[in-house]
Amino acid sequence: MSDNMNMKERLKDLRKHLNLTQSEFGKKIGMSDVAISYMESGRTAINNQNVNLICLTFGVNEDWFRFGIGEMINEDAQYSEDEKRLFHLSRKLSPKAMKMLIDYAKKLLADEMAFRVGAESLEKGEESA
């Protein structure tokens, strides 16, 4: 059996563990109940984007989901609602818009890091004065 064939069973196990219908599960990740049904039956492959979305949304251990290794739920993967919302919104972007978002996020992070370094330097200067 291929990894995808095993993933379809793990998808169904996860959904049942969460006590969700296919419709409820699908709504939480922005997919239809038909799409979930097709993935669970093996009619549609579970692609990397689906895996990432499912693992992020439900805090699932990716090694478990992909390969059946480890625990189902990753207790360390607690994402804020803002992190989940950003991920869901980013899925709707075109490839060009996604690249722009990534470039902007990198610049924003660099600016934030520079600000933190500057603030720390300022604090150290005040302490020694």
Side-chain angles (χ1 to χ4, degrees), residues 59-78:
V60 173
N61 175 351
E62 188 172 338
D63 286 337
W64 174 83
F65 193 70
R66 287 184 185 275
F67 311 110
I69 299 169
E71 297 297 317
M72 177 188 292
I73 303 298
N74 183 355
E75 299 301 329
D76 296 332
Q78 299 299 321

Side-chain angles (χ1 to χ4, degrees), residues 9-108:
E9 296 300 325
R10 287 188 288 276
L11 175 61
K12 187 181 248 180
D13 289 346
L14 171 64
R15 183 178 57 77
K16 289 182 177 186
H17 172 79
L18 297 170
N19 199 28
L20 297 173
T21 65
Q22 289 176 336
S23 179
E24 293 166 334
F25 188 92
K27 281 180 186 174
K28 289 186 179 289
I29 60 173
M31 297 177 81
S32 71
D33 56 337
V34 173
I36 302 303
S37 173
Y38 279 20
M39 286 191 291
E40 286 184 359
S41 69
R43 289 179 68 183
T44 301
I46 303 171
N47 64 33
N48 286 332
Q49 186 176 4
N50 298 143
V51 171
N52 293 336
L53 180 60
I54 290 165
C55 291
L56 175 70
T57 301
F58 299 107
V60 173
N61 175 351
E62 188 172 338
D63 286 337
W64 174 83
F65 193 70
R66 287 184 185 275
F67 311 110
I69 299 169
E71 297 297 317
M72 177 188 292
I73 303 298
N74 183 355
E75 299 301 329
D76 296 332
Q78 299 299 321
Y79 298 98
S80 71
E81 290 304 312
D82 283 342
E83 289 169 317
K84 290 177 186 177
R85 191 171 66 216
L86 179 61
F87 183 78
H88 287 287
L89 288 171
S90 72
R91 289 185 65 235
K92 298 177 182 179
L93 296 174
S94 68
K96 182 177 180 180
M98 177 62 84
K99 183 178 179 337
M100 290 170 61
L101 177 62
I102 290 168
D103 290 345
Y104 179 74
K106 286 177 180 177
K107 175 154 181 14
L108 185 62

